[in-house]
Amino acid sequence: MKILNHMNMQLLHRRIVLVIIDIMIACIASIMPLWIRFELKYTDIPEIYLSSAWNFMVVNVVITLLVFYLFKLYHSLWAFAGTAEAQNIVAACCLCAVLNFLGMKLLSYPIPRSYYFMYVLVLTGATTAVRFSYRIIRGMKHKHQNRKNGIRVMIIGAGEAGHAVIKEITNSDFSTMTIKCIIDDNETKWGRFILGVRIVGGRDKIVEYAALYGIDEIIIAIPSANRATMKEIVEICKETSCKLRTLPGIYQLVNGEVNVSKLRDVDVEDLLGRDPIKVDLESILNYVKNKTIMVTGGGGSIGSELCRQIAGHRPARLIIVDIYENNAYEIQQELKRKYPKLDLVVLIASVRNTNRMNDLMKTYHPDIIYHAAAHKHVPLMEVSPNEAIKNNVFGTWKTAQAAALHGVKKFVLISTDKAVNPTNIMGASKRICEMIVQTYNRHYDTEFVAVRFGNVLGSNGSVIPLFKQQIAAGGPVTVTHPDIIRYFMTIPEAVSLVLQAGVYAKGGEIFVLDMGEPVKILDLAKNLIKLSGYKVDEDIKIEFTGLRPGEKLYEELLMNEEGMTDTENKLIHIGKPIEFDESKFYVQLNNLKRAVEDECEDVRPLIQEIVPTYIPKESLKNQ
């Protein structure tokens, strides 16, 4: 109750100060228009006009205070004043001028016609200056208090997770945080306390109390919240200048691991606006359990997550194949720690080596292969197209052939949305890979399938890690084009799709994830800057660098000819394979193979023969 009374007294004092200031402004606005009208010489103002202004001043003050109250100029949160508050000020001042005019006429007070116009300017300017200077003063005071009192924190969530976080922060001798208030949507909790911290209201109070208490950091302690709820809360929190952090997930509660060390920064994934894709974990478990699984490119972003999830589903043996020893070593050590009983084999090998691939198949006899090995960086592949073709196309060809010859049951190719109507070498190479596995599926017992998805948040080379590095360095954040859009998914979602596709696969399919609406990269950049506690173009600037080689403004998930059918998982669809001349395809592949081995200066014409939908970006410009 004492806290509540103290807070109410603070609000009352602030409103009294504003009322006093507004009385002074109304008085000044009554006389200053005449002073301006008569060239800043008070003695030149005719007595009849001065009498009118002085006689009407009391009425004018009362009118001004009532109108300002009507337009909520004593209720707005001026520390976060923006366009809406500015509009209210202008509207209120204009109405005051109209009432001033009517009052003067009604009482037959003579006054120059220019008086009312200048009255609006003076009243609006002075009122705006006072209100918005409060925001500046509040900010300076906020920074001063931070230096003295440490980090002021708001907790969102008055459940078990919130209680655990509050308890650890308040009981710690080393915490620099001070918890000022709690937000929770449950009305029955409002006004109550957790460890002496008051629950002040629902999510609609976040901005108000963040300003009132000078909050530096907001901790979202609702591990059970779905993605849609998280998005709504984060969108509100973005209106403050606070840094955001959250608990990773509900499993932390189950394991009793809720503490400050488990907090993570709120990330752009929290703004995707949909829940993560759900898969039938039991079917995946039965699918990989007691089988020998091989993952090529197992040290990469997608490959390593595949290994993590497969390792948790009790395979008979997990074989990681990668050409880059550092990545392979890191995932090896991680899996050894987490799954000490796992039969794990880590091999350094290139998918471009025919003999090596055949030897691995003959030695380990994998049941399922997830082929994630590929060069994926679009701009780099544009300047080294031969290497992209050698690794992506012929690495896939050699691995698929070795799998088919040695009786592998399933072969799952990791593909990309850039394979649809490609404008770059990487996308075109992946389209050829899809054609290879579809061809092999027709002639061998191995079930070949491709899984196509969009950009993966947090993967190597993706925009999010780059943006974070740029923000940490103080900016600028670079975006190639203001209108560029992409489909996004998280790494666990992508891997869940790949595993689920393996269960559904009968051979020859291209599986596609319904990822909802595409996201503007510019919006991602702005959101990440705000979530980091900075202001866009004030603290961190955004610069546009122009589209990179081979990059297009948007990506597609399916070619026009493919069409789609649903699977049991409504977010996973199957594209119908495109028919093409296999004999001609093999001839074209061999011609392409000779060209890249001879380091042909431009293999693009040969690629266009194989993939008619491939139109290099330079050609698009010339059309």
Side-chain angles (χ1 to χ4, degrees):
M1 184 60 69
K2 289 183 180 180
I3 295 176
L4 181 60
N5 291 336
H6 177 66
M7 183 183 66
N8 290 335
M9 288 300 295
Q10 278 187 320
L11 292 173
L12 180 61
H13 290 159
R14 291 174 186 174
R15 287 173 182 172
I16 290 173
V17 170
L18 274 180
V19 168
I20 294 171
I21 292 174
D22 287 342
I23 291 173
M24 297 171 60
I25 290 173
C27 293
I28 293 170
S30 296
I31 302 299
M32 186 172 283
L34 294 174
W35 183 62
I36 296 171
R37 166 67 176 77
F38 290 94
E39 300 179 352
L40 310 183
K41 294 181 180 179
Y42 185 82
T43 55
D44 288 351
I45 303 173
E47 183 63 30
I48 190 172
Y49 293 154
L50 275 176
S51 296
S52 296
W54 283 110
N55 291 337
F56 194 72
M57 187 178 291
V58 174
V59 178
N60 185 36
V61 168
V62 173
I63 289 173
T64 301
L65 296 179
L66 289 175
V67 171
F68 280 15
Y69 182 84
L70 178 66
F71 280 83
K72 299 182 179 179
L73 298 192
Y74 301 116
H75 300 81
S76 296
L77 205 58
W78 295 107
F80 286 89
T83 305
E85 286 76 15
Q87 290 173 347
N88 283 343
I89 291 174
V90 172
C93 293
C94 289
L95 180 57
C96 286
V98 171
L99 295 175
N100 195 306
F101 170 79
L102 294 175
M104 289 278 198
K105 292 298 182 184
L106 185 64
L107 298 174
S108 300
Y109 288 151
I111 208 80
R113 285 177 296 180
S114 62
Y115 173 86
Y116 304 106
F117 174 73
M118 285 184 283
Y119 174 84
V120 170
L121 294 181
V122 172
L123 187 63
T124 303
T127 305
T128 302
V130 168
R131 260 55 176 192
F132 281 82
S133 64
Y134 177 78
R135 176 175 179 173
I136 298 172
I137 295 170
R138 188 74 170 81
M140 294 172 63
K141 181 181 177 183
H142 173 64
K143 291 181 180 178
H144 180 68
Q145 288 176 336
N146 284 348
R147 288 195 293 267
K148 293 174 60 179
N149 303 325
I151 301 170
R152 293 168 170 247
V153 176
M154 170 189 287
I155 303 292
I156 299 180
E160 291 295 329
H163 179 272
V165 172
I166 295 168
K167 182 178 180 181
E168 181 170 354
I169 291 174
T170 53
N171 291 343
S172 174
D173 294 330
F174 304 100
S175 175
T176 58
M177 300 177 181
T178 302
I179 301 174
K180 308 303 292 185
C181 62
I182 306 168
I183 296 290
D184 197 285
D185 286 336
N186 187 341
E187 295 183 18
T188 62
K189 297 181 180 180
W190 295 354
R192 298 188 179 185
F193 294 80
I194 295 180
L195 300 178
V197 183
R198 185 170 177 267
I199 303 168
V200 295
R203 69 182 70 175
D204 59 318
K205 299 292 185 180
I206 291 173
V207 175
E208 178 181 345
Y209 282 92
L212 182 63
Y213 288 114
I215 299 300
D216 302 296
E217 187 168 310
I218 297 175
I219 296 175
I220 303 174
I222 318 175
S224 60
N226 59 31
R227 186 60 54 82
T229 301
M230 277 294 296
K231 182 178 185 298
E232 292 173 5
I233 294 173
V234 172
E235 287 287 352
I236 296 172
C237 293
K238 279 166 49 185
E239 298 304 315
T240 73
S241 58
C242 304
K243 182 179 177 61
L244 306 184
R245 290 204 287 170
T246 186
L247 290 173
I250 195 167
Y251 71 90
Q252 300 287 346
L253 287 177
V254 177
N255 296 338
E257 298 176 5
V258 176
N259 55 59
V260 174
S261 66
K262 298 297 181 181
L263 292 172
R264 66 168 175 82
D265 289 350
V266 172
D267 221 331
V268 178
E269 292 96 303
D270 299 309
L271 291 171
L272 286 181
R274 58 173 172 79
D275 291 329
I277 180 174
K278 296 179 180 179
V279 299
D280 183 356
L281 296 177
E282 192 63 32
S283 66
I284 293 175
L285 174 63
N286 294 333
Y287 172 61
V288 302
K289 183 179 179 181
N290 298 326
K291 291 185 175 66
T292 299
I293 312 295
M294 176 181 287
V295 180
T296 68
S301 303
I302 297 297
S304 61
E305 181 64 22
L306 273 167
C307 294
R308 292 184 190 96
Q309 294 198 23
I310 291 169
H313 287 106
R314 292 180 288 180
R317 172 178 286 176
L318 175 59
I319 305 164
I320 298 176
V321 177
D322 204 294
I323 190 61
Y324 186 42
E325 62 183 41
N326 290 350
N327 281 352
Y329 177 77
E330 287 180 6
I331 187 63
Q332 178 189 48
Q333 297 306 305
E334 178 184 337
L335 295 181
K336 278 185 175 180
R337 288 193 304 271
K338 291 183 178 179
Y339 307 100
K341 295 182 180 180
L342 174 66
D343 186 351
L344 178 64
V345 178
V346 179
L347 304 167
I348 303 302
S350 171
V351 294
R352 293 156 62 166
N353 187 326
T354 303
N355 292 336
R356 179 67 164 151
M357 287 297 102
N358 280 319
D359 183 63
L360 293 184
M361 303 299 169
K362 183 169 60 177
T363 302
Y364 295 101
H365 303 288
D367 298 297
I368 305 167
I369 295 177
Y370 292 97
H371 183 56
H375 288 325
K376 304 180 182 72
H377 198 279
V378 171
L380 289 180
M381 295 306 100
E382 286 300 294
V383 296
S384 301
N386 290 345
E387 292 305 306
I389 298 301
K390 290 175 188 175
N391 198 67
N392 294 0
V393 173
F394 295 108
T396 297
W397 191 0
K398 292 174 180 181
T399 307
Q401 187 172 24
L405 293 176
H406 291 88
V408 174
K409 294 182 177 63
K410 288 189 179 182
F411 183 101
V412 181
L413 167 71
I414 308 300
S415 190
T416 171
D417 56 359
K418 293 176 177 62
V420 184
N421 299 322
T423 60
N424 51 66
I425 289 291
M426 197 282 280
S429 70
K430 281 295 190 176
R431 177 56 196 152
I432 298 175
C433 293
E434 292 177 353
M435 296 168 71
I436 289 171
V437 298
Q438 287 180 332
T439 300
Y440 268 80
N441 185 71
R442 297 187 185 101
H443 300 285
Y444 293 92
D445 292 334
T446 301
E447 295 173 352
F448 287 90
V449 61
V451 182
R452 185 189 290 165
F453 46 80
N455 299 273
V456 181
L457 289 172
S459 64
N460 295 330
S462 74
V463 295
I464 303 304
L466 174 62
F467 287 167
K468 287 181 176 179
Q469 292 172 8
Q470 292 173 335
I471 291 170
V477 171
T478 56
V479 178
T480 57
H481 193 283
D483 298 323
I484 192 168
I485 61 174
R486 290 291 182 267
Y487 293 92
F488 280 100
M489 63 194 315
T490 63
I491 292 176
E493 283 180 321
V495 169
S496 296
L497 170 65
V498 172
L499 293 173
Q500 188 80 71
V503 178
Y504 293 150
K506 294 181 172 57
E509 302 97 335
I510 295 178
F511 288 90
V512 182
L513 172 63
D514 180 1
M515 292 183 288
E517 295 298 318
V519 179
K520 289 187 71 172
I521 302 298
L522 178 58
D523 290 341
L524 282 181
K526 289 180 177 178
N527 286 334
L528 197 55
I529 291 171
K530 291 178 181 178
L531 294 177
S532 301
Y534 299 107
K535 295 179 181 178
V536 178
D537 290 331
E538 292 185 26
D539 303 318
I540 303 290
K541 293 187 179 297
I542 295 177
E543 291 184 359
F544 299 105
T545 58
L547 292 176
R548 300 174 297 179
E551 189 174 41
K552 55 184 179 178
L553 285 177
Y554 64 94
E555 306 291 358
E556 303 151 279
L557 293 181
L558 280 172
M559 302 174 73
N560 293 332
E561 302 90 337
E562 287 177 296
M564 283 199 299
T565 58
D566 292 334
T567 64
E568 294 177 20
N569 188 323
K570 297 304 180 183
L571 294 177
I572 303 176
H573 308 283
I574 301 174
K576 181 181 178 181
I578 298 174
E579 298 298 327
F580 54 90
D581 188 329
E582 290 185 15
S583 300
K584 182 179 178 182
F585 176 56
Y586 279 117
V587 172
Q588 292 170 329
L589 272 183
N590 282 302
N591 291 338
L592 182 62
K593 184 173 183 291
R594 286 192 294 271
V596 296
E597 287 175 349
D598 293 339
E599 299 300 337
C600 175
E601 290 187 6
D602 188 8
V603 294
R604 288 173 175 83
L606 293 175
I607 295 173
Q608 284 181 288
E609 291 180 9
I610 302 174
V611 184
T613 57
Y614 167 53
I615 303 178
K617 193 163 181 290
E618 292 75 12
S619 300
L620 288 172
K621 289 180 180 179
N622 297 328
Q623 288 181 0

